[in-house]
Amino acid sequence: MILPGSPFVAYRGSELFIEGCSLHALARRHGSPLYVYSRSAMLASLASYQRALAGRRHLICYAMKANSTLAVLQTFAQAGCGFDIVSGGELERVLAAGGDPSKVVFSGVGKTRAEMRRALEAGVRCFNVESEPELELLSQVAVECGRTAQVSLRVNPDVDAGTHPYISTGLKGNKFGIAHQRAVVTYQRAAQLPGLAVAGIDCHIGSQITETGPYLDALDRVLDLVEAVEQSGIALHHLDLGGGLGITYTDETPPSAEALVRRLLARIDERGHGHREILFEPGRSLVGNAGVLVTEVLYLKPGEAKNFCIVDAAMNDLMRPAMYEAYMQIVACRQRDDTAALTWDVAGPVCESGDWLGRDRSLAVQPGDTLAVLSAGAYGMSMASNYNTRGRAAEVMVDGDQAWLIREREAANELFRLEKLLPSA
Ligand code: LLP
């Protein structure tokens, strides 16, 4: 059986391995639900971007919202990556993981004054500014702390990335970015403000994009703007083309990062912009296929209308199916030949009908078996919650046949550690 996604997750006989480690054995050792990542898969995904960008001034800023666990950040920092952050909390994670703040770009529509100040003091490389009032505030905060904020405006190119409405960001109706009709005047304003220095331009059109076309359309629009801005006398040094490249969850066939980036660079060169530094902000495509969520089958509930396979992972561990109706492949960690496959809805213990991980899946399972939800490395753990007072899962990083526990399972008392009872009467 060929699995979609990563070559680093594969069966050896009937047993599912991630690199050199059995997933069933890891779940037995560390408990379940358990996120497990392949370090080699992450570095291989990064290498695909790096190959295409070799020989050119560039910075890959890992969009850490996809998976912000410290050991994941450390892996990318050590491989030379910068980071795309969207909160003060993410900045603290970068610093704790040994990342270089001078390789950090700060995105997001709602940066607070305190976050701006902290980022300026830490020395982040650039702010991706998403609105005119944000620009004004950033200048004020920079002046107050005696710094100059490097800025790039996130422009909204108004192209359809052809993806789920919740993860599409480059259309007029989205809250993100500055309308491209307003870009030139906003750059002019930025150039006048005392606390700012214009550094570049930025766009990000959505996520899980599986075609090159929308990227080329957005790039053309961004380059038109670069030309207009420069004609108005403002120099732009870098082009930040955002993230968004899709991965294979089942049968999607996105271009490789290398192929996509080569196409984009060719267009950039054709249009005479080859001298500019190029930034990318990939998230999912660096970590998505590198991770799986392992879960144990608790109960089988065959029924008249549906068969339910109740597992110990739930929507609080992995939100994507409940939130986007995302399809994620589910396979047995140990394939059985003593049980017939039936069609199951794989659902968790949370008290919501929306709590499911997969519907109508053909699986040969028994209680106590372990299942793996594939391609769960992106927007899995980073979106996990404590709903139903469920501690978040543990995480393991695998490298060859070595495995490290990189996050312990949360215990119940840790979940209410910050809460206080009312004084008793
Ligand atoms: N840059 C910016 C400004 C972004 O907003 C995002 C993602 C990225 C980069 C990285 O995009 P990626 O390469 O990962 O597609 N939770 C959703 C995805 C939300 C994406 C949000 N922004 C999901 O599970 O599908």
Side-chain angles (χ1 to χ4, degrees), residues 63 65 84 107 154 167 204 206-208 243-245 281-284 320 324 379 383:
K65 62 171 78 70
D84 170 48
S107 301
R154 173 166 176 192
I167 54 176
H204 170 80
S207 200
Q208 186 53 17
L245 176 61
E281 302 167 358
R284 187 190 320 264
R320 303 193 69 258
Y324 315 113
Y379 305 109
M383 292 176 72

PDB file of all heavy atoms in Angstrom, residues 63 65 84 107 154 167 204 206-208 243-245 281-284 320 324 379 383, ligand 1:
ATOM      1  N   ALA A  63       6.613  29.819   8.376  1.00  0.00           N
ATOM      2  CA  ALA A  63       5.382  30.344   8.993  1.00  0.00           C
ATOM      3  C   ALA A  63       5.022  29.433  10.152  1.00  0.00           C
ATOM      4  O   ALA A  63       4.343  28.411   9.996  1.00  0.00           O
ATOM      5  CB  ALA A  63       4.247  30.396   7.973  1.00  0.00           C
ATOM      6  N   LYS A  65       3.090  29.356  12.569  1.00  0.00           N
ATOM      7  CA  LYS A  65       1.746  29.026  13.025  1.00  0.00           C
ATOM      8  C   LYS A  65       1.378  27.597  12.631  1.00  0.00           C
ATOM      9  O   LYS A  65       0.535  26.980  13.251  1.00  0.00           O
ATOM     10  CB  LYS A  65       0.715  30.015  12.454  1.00  0.00           C
ATOM     11  CG  LYS A  65       0.653  29.979  10.933  1.00  0.00           C
ATOM     12  CD  LYS A  65      -0.503  30.799  10.391  1.00  0.00           C
ATOM     13  CE  LYS A  65      -0.228  32.278  10.395  1.00  0.00           C
ATOM     14  NZ  LYS A  65       0.789  32.709   9.392  1.00  0.00           N
ATOM     15  N   ASP A  84       8.261  33.505  10.065  1.00  0.00           N
ATOM     16  CA  ASP A  84       7.140  34.427   9.901  1.00  0.00           C
ATOM     17  C   ASP A  84       6.300  34.267  11.158  1.00  0.00           C
ATOM     18  O   ASP A  84       5.813  33.171  11.438  1.00  0.00           O
ATOM     19  CB  ASP A  84       6.340  34.038   8.650  1.00  0.00           C
ATOM     20  CG  ASP A  84       5.021  34.791   8.559  1.00  0.00           C
ATOM     21  OD1 ASP A  84       5.029  36.021   8.724  1.00  0.00           O
ATOM     22  OD2 ASP A  84       3.983  34.145   8.331  1.00  0.00           O
ATOM     23  N   SER A 107       3.990  39.323  10.635  1.00  0.00           N
ATOM     24  CA  SER A 107       2.755  39.488   9.860  1.00  0.00           C
ATOM     25  C   SER A 107       1.558  39.589  10.801  1.00  0.00           C
ATOM     26  O   SER A 107       1.698  39.398  12.009  1.00  0.00           O
ATOM     27  CB  SER A 107       2.533  38.283   8.942  1.00  0.00           C
ATOM     28  OG  SER A 107       3.609  38.111   8.052  1.00  0.00           O
ATOM     29  N   ARG A 154       1.796  44.492   3.171  1.00  0.00           N
ATOM     30  CA  ARG A 154       1.158  43.297   2.620  1.00  0.00           C
ATOM     31  C   ARG A 154       0.035  43.768   1.723  1.00  0.00           C
ATOM     32  O   ARG A 154      -0.954  44.332   2.181  1.00  0.00           O
ATOM     33  CB  ARG A 154       0.603  42.418   3.724  1.00  0.00           C
ATOM     34  CG  ARG A 154      -0.200  41.268   3.139  1.00  0.00           C
ATOM     35  CD  ARG A 154      -0.479  40.220   4.127  1.00  0.00           C
ATOM     36  NE  ARG A 154      -1.319  39.177   3.570  1.00  0.00           N
ATOM     37  CZ  ARG A 154      -1.909  38.252   4.290  1.00  0.00           C
ATOM     38  NH1 ARG A 154      -1.751  38.243   5.594  1.00  0.00           N
ATOM     39  NH2 ARG A 154      -2.647  37.335   3.713  1.00  0.00           N
ATOM     40  N   ILE A 167      -9.438  29.518   4.284  1.00  0.00           N
ATOM     41  CA  ILE A 167      -7.984  29.641   4.226  1.00  0.00           C
ATOM     42  C   ILE A 167      -7.530  30.383   2.977  1.00  0.00           C
ATOM     43  O   ILE A 167      -6.370  30.357   2.615  1.00  0.00           O
ATOM     44  CB  ILE A 167      -7.270  28.257   4.355  1.00  0.00           C
ATOM     45  CG1 ILE A 167      -7.782  27.244   3.331  1.00  0.00           C
ATOM     46  CG2 ILE A 167      -7.433  27.701   5.767  1.00  0.00           C
ATOM     47  CD1 ILE A 167      -7.045  25.921   3.377  1.00  0.00           C
ATOM     48  N   HIS A 204       0.360  37.338   0.336  1.00  0.00           N
ATOM     49  CA  HIS A 204       0.093  35.931   0.699  1.00  0.00           C
ATOM     50  C   HIS A 204      -1.361  35.694   0.308  1.00  0.00           C
ATOM     51  O   HIS A 204      -2.238  36.396   0.780  1.00  0.00           O
ATOM     52  CB  HIS A 204       0.304  35.714   2.202  1.00  0.00           C
ATOM     53  CG  HIS A 204      -0.180  34.368   2.672  1.00  0.00           C
ATOM     54  ND1 HIS A 204       0.563  33.222   2.502  1.00  0.00           N
ATOM     55  CD2 HIS A 204      -1.328  33.994   3.265  1.00  0.00           C
ATOM     56  CE1 HIS A 204      -0.128  32.191   2.988  1.00  0.00           C
ATOM     57  NE2 HIS A 204      -1.276  32.639   3.450  1.00  0.00           N
ATOM     58  N   GLY A 206      -3.263  32.701   0.233  1.00  0.00           N
ATOM     59  CA  GLY A 206      -4.096  31.630   0.776  1.00  0.00           C
ATOM     60  C   GLY A 206      -3.255  30.423   1.107  1.00  0.00           C
ATOM     61  O   GLY A 206      -2.024  30.502   1.081  1.00  0.00           O
ATOM     62  N   SER A 207      -3.924  29.338   1.415  1.00  0.00           N
ATOM     63  CA  SER A 207      -3.218  28.165   1.906  1.00  0.00           C
ATOM     64  C   SER A 207      -3.729  26.928   1.181  1.00  0.00           C
ATOM     65  O   SER A 207      -4.830  26.936   0.631  1.00  0.00           O
ATOM     66  CB  SER A 207      -3.476  28.062   3.411  1.00  0.00           C
ATOM     67  OG  SER A 207      -2.526  27.276   4.047  1.00  0.00           O
ATOM     68  N   GLN A 208      -2.914  25.876   1.197  1.00  0.00           N
ATOM     69  CA  GLN A 208      -3.249  24.619   0.510  1.00  0.00           C
ATOM     70  C   GLN A 208      -3.561  24.902  -0.973  1.00  0.00           C
ATOM     71  O   GLN A 208      -4.536  24.403  -1.534  1.00  0.00           O
ATOM     72  CB  GLN A 208      -4.393  23.882   1.244  1.00  0.00           C
ATOM     73  CG  GLN A 208      -4.758  22.496   0.724  1.00  0.00           C
ATOM     74  CD  GLN A 208      -3.586  21.518   0.618  1.00  0.00           C
ATOM     75  OE1 GLN A 208      -2.529  21.718   1.192  1.00  0.00           O
ATOM     76  NE2 GLN A 208      -3.742  20.459  -0.148  1.00  0.00           N
ATOM     77  N   GLY A 243       3.346  32.345   1.754  1.00  0.00           N
ATOM     78  CA  GLY A 243       3.405  30.875   1.816  1.00  0.00           C
ATOM     79  C   GLY A 243       2.271  30.314   0.987  1.00  0.00           C
ATOM     80  O   GLY A 243       1.913  30.877  -0.037  1.00  0.00           O
ATOM     81  N   GLY A 244       1.688  29.220   1.452  1.00  0.00           N
ATOM     82  CA  GLY A 244       0.462  28.742   0.824  1.00  0.00           C
ATOM     83  C   GLY A 244       0.559  27.487  -0.007  1.00  0.00           C
ATOM     84  O   GLY A 244      -0.474  26.933  -0.408  1.00  0.00           O
ATOM     85  N   LEU A 245       1.782  27.021  -0.289  1.00  0.00           N
ATOM     86  CA  LEU A 245       1.870  25.836  -1.157  1.00  0.00           C
ATOM     87  C   LEU A 245       1.222  24.635  -0.474  1.00  0.00           C
ATOM     88  O   LEU A 245       1.485  24.345   0.690  1.00  0.00           O
ATOM     89  CB  LEU A 245       3.341  25.558  -1.489  1.00  0.00           C
ATOM     90  CG  LEU A 245       3.594  24.295  -2.307  1.00  0.00           C
ATOM     91  CD1 LEU A 245       2.884  24.359  -3.665  1.00  0.00           C
ATOM     92  CD2 LEU A 245       5.094  24.082  -2.502  1.00  0.00           C
ATOM     93  N   GLU A 281       7.316  32.515   2.871  1.00  0.00           N
ATOM     94  CA  GLU A 281       6.796  32.224   4.223  1.00  0.00           C
ATOM     95  C   GLU A 281       6.055  30.891   4.223  1.00  0.00           C
ATOM     96  O   GLU A 281       4.857  30.832   4.515  1.00  0.00           O
ATOM     97  CB  GLU A 281       5.804  33.310   4.653  1.00  0.00           C
ATOM     98  CG  GLU A 281       6.333  34.719   4.680  1.00  0.00           C
ATOM     99  CD  GLU A 281       5.221  35.768   4.818  1.00  0.00           C
ATOM    100  OE1 GLU A 281       4.027  35.403   4.857  1.00  0.00           O
ATOM    101  OE2 GLU A 281       5.564  36.952   4.878  1.00  0.00           O
ATOM    102  N   PRO A 282       6.723  29.800   3.884  1.00  0.00           N
ATOM    103  CA  PRO A 282       6.000  28.524   3.833  1.00  0.00           C
ATOM    104  C   PRO A 282       5.730  27.971   5.223  1.00  0.00           C
ATOM    105  O   PRO A 282       6.574  28.075   6.114  1.00  0.00           O
ATOM    106  CB  PRO A 282       6.968  27.607   3.079  1.00  0.00           C
ATOM    107  CG  PRO A 282       8.325  28.173   3.351  1.00  0.00           C
ATOM    108  CD  PRO A 282       8.142  29.660   3.544  1.00  0.00           C
ATOM    109  N   GLY A 283       4.561  27.416   5.413  1.00  0.00           N
ATOM    110  CA  GLY A 283       4.219  26.766   6.675  1.00  0.00           C
ATOM    111  C   GLY A 283       3.930  25.298   6.408  1.00  0.00           C
ATOM    112  O   GLY A 283       4.790  24.431   6.550  1.00  0.00           O
ATOM    113  N   ARG A 284       2.704  25.039   5.938  1.00  0.00           N
ATOM    114  CA  ARG A 284       2.245  23.669   5.718  1.00  0.00           C
ATOM    115  C   ARG A 284       3.232  22.825   4.902  1.00  0.00           C
ATOM    116  O   ARG A 284       3.475  21.660   5.221  1.00  0.00           O
ATOM    117  CB  ARG A 284       0.902  23.711   4.990  1.00  0.00           C
ATOM    118  CG  ARG A 284       0.237  22.364   4.862  1.00  0.00           C
ATOM    119  CD  ARG A 284      -0.974  22.433   3.910  1.00  0.00           C
ATOM    120  NE  ARG A 284      -1.769  23.617   4.038  1.00  0.00           N
ATOM    121  CZ  ARG A 284      -2.885  23.734   4.761  1.00  0.00           C
ATOM    122  NH1 ARG A 284      -3.349  22.687   5.413  1.00  0.00           N
ATOM    123  NH2 ARG A 284      -3.543  24.867   4.807  1.00  0.00           N
ATOM    124  N   ARG A 320      -8.736  20.174  12.072  1.00  0.00           N
ATOM    125  CA  ARG A 320      -8.932  20.405  10.634  1.00  0.00           C
ATOM    126  C   ARG A 320     -10.185  19.715  10.071  1.00  0.00           C
ATOM    127  O   ARG A 320     -10.927  20.347   9.313  1.00  0.00           O
ATOM    128  CB  ARG A 320      -7.681  20.024   9.833  1.00  0.00           C
ATOM    129  CG  ARG A 320      -6.411  20.769  10.283  1.00  0.00           C
ATOM    130  CD  ARG A 320      -5.254  20.639   9.298  1.00  0.00           C
ATOM    131  NE  ARG A 320      -5.547  21.373   8.071  1.00  0.00           N
ATOM    132  CZ  ARG A 320      -5.945  20.834   6.968  1.00  0.00           C
ATOM    133  NH1 ARG A 320      -6.072  19.523   6.863  1.00  0.00           N
ATOM    134  NH2 ARG A 320      -6.217  21.580   5.928  1.00  0.00           N
ATOM    135  N   TYR A 324     -12.769  22.470   8.788  1.00  0.00           N
ATOM    136  CA  TYR A 324     -12.771  22.703   7.336  1.00  0.00           C
ATOM    137  C   TYR A 324     -13.319  21.526   6.562  1.00  0.00           C
ATOM    138  O   TYR A 324     -13.185  21.490   5.330  1.00  0.00           O
ATOM    139  CB  TYR A 324     -11.342  22.946   6.821  1.00  0.00           C
ATOM    140  CG  TYR A 324     -10.498  23.871   7.639  1.00  0.00           C
ATOM    141  CD1 TYR A 324      -9.385  23.392   8.319  1.00  0.00           C
ATOM    142  CD2 TYR A 324     -10.779  25.231   7.711  1.00  0.00           C
ATOM    143  CE1 TYR A 324      -8.585  24.243   9.066  1.00  0.00           C
ATOM    144  CE2 TYR A 324      -9.977  26.081   8.450  1.00  0.00           C
ATOM    145  CZ  TYR A 324      -8.892  25.587   9.130  1.00  0.00           C
ATOM    146  OH  TYR A 324      -8.097  26.420   9.870  1.00  0.00           O
ATOM    147  N   TYR A 379      -0.775  22.572  11.327  1.00  0.00           N
ATOM    148  CA  TYR A 379      -2.074  22.999  11.843  1.00  0.00           C
ATOM    149  C   TYR A 379      -2.773  21.869  12.606  1.00  0.00           C
ATOM    150  O   TYR A 379      -3.989  21.757  12.587  1.00  0.00           O
ATOM    151  CB  TYR A 379      -2.951  23.550  10.714  1.00  0.00           C
ATOM    152  CG  TYR A 379      -2.264  24.672   9.955  1.00  0.00           C
ATOM    153  CD1 TYR A 379      -1.809  24.494   8.649  1.00  0.00           C
ATOM    154  CD2 TYR A 379      -2.035  25.892  10.585  1.00  0.00           C
ATOM    155  CE1 TYR A 379      -1.156  25.527   7.970  1.00  0.00           C
ATOM    156  CE2 TYR A 379      -1.374  26.915   9.914  1.00  0.00           C
ATOM    157  CZ  TYR A 379      -0.943  26.724   8.609  1.00  0.00           C
ATOM    158  OH  TYR A 379      -0.289  27.729   7.957  1.00  0.00           O
ATOM    159  N   MET A 383      -3.055  24.071  16.525  1.00  0.00           N
ATOM    160  CA  MET A 383      -4.450  24.500  16.679  1.00  0.00           C
ATOM    161  C   MET A 383      -5.168  23.718  17.788  1.00  0.00           C
ATOM    162  O   MET A 383      -6.377  23.874  17.967  1.00  0.00           O
ATOM    163  CB  MET A 383      -5.211  24.314  15.349  1.00  0.00           C
ATOM    164  CG  MET A 383      -4.744  25.271  14.258  1.00  0.00           C
ATOM    165  SD  MET A 383      -5.575  24.953  12.673  1.00  0.00           S
ATOM    166  CE  MET A 383      -7.226  25.550  13.005  1.00  0.00           C
TER     167      MET A 383
HETATM  168  N1  LLP B   1       2.091  33.778   5.598  1.00  0.00           N
HETATM  169  C1  LLP B   1       0.939  34.290   6.063  1.00  0.00           C
HETATM  170  C2  LLP B   1       0.793  35.741   6.154  1.00  0.00           C
HETATM  171  C3  LLP B   1      -0.100  33.435   6.438  1.00  0.00           C
HETATM  172  O1  LLP B   1      -1.240  33.945   6.886  1.00  0.00           O
HETATM  173  C4  LLP B   1       0.070  32.034   6.347  1.00  0.00           C
HETATM  174  C5  LLP B   1      -1.003  31.104   6.754  1.00  0.00           C
HETATM  175  C6  LLP B   1       1.297  31.550   5.873  1.00  0.00           C
HETATM  176  C7  LLP B   1       2.278  32.447   5.502  1.00  0.00           C
HETATM  177  C8  LLP B   1       1.580  30.095   5.736  1.00  0.00           C
HETATM  178  O2  LLP B   1       0.706  29.447   4.874  1.00  0.00           O
HETATM  179  P1  LLP B   1       0.936  27.909   4.486  1.00  0.00           P
HETATM  180  O3  LLP B   1       2.247  27.820   3.768  1.00  0.00           O
HETATM  181  O4  LLP B   1       0.971  27.129   5.754  1.00  0.00           O
HETATM  182  O5  LLP B   1      -0.227  27.576   3.655  1.00  0.00           O
HETATM  183  N2  LLP B   1      -5.398  26.378   9.637  1.00  0.00           N
HETATM  184  C9  LLP B   1      -5.529  26.254   8.206  1.00  0.00           C
HETATM  185  C10 LLP B   1      -4.475  27.061   7.461  1.00  0.00           C
HETATM  186  C11 LLP B   1      -4.434  28.520   7.860  1.00  0.00           C
HETATM  187  C12 LLP B   1      -3.360  29.306   7.148  1.00  0.00           C
HETATM  188  C13 LLP B   1      -3.194  30.646   7.746  1.00  0.00           C
HETATM  189  N3  LLP B   1      -2.142  31.457   7.179  1.00  0.00           N
HETATM  190  C14 LLP B   1      -5.505  24.778   7.842  1.00  0.00           C
HETATM  191  O6  LLP B   1      -5.397  23.938   8.733  1.00  0.00           O
HETATM  192  O7  LLP B   1      -5.650  24.418   6.666  1.00  0.00           O
END
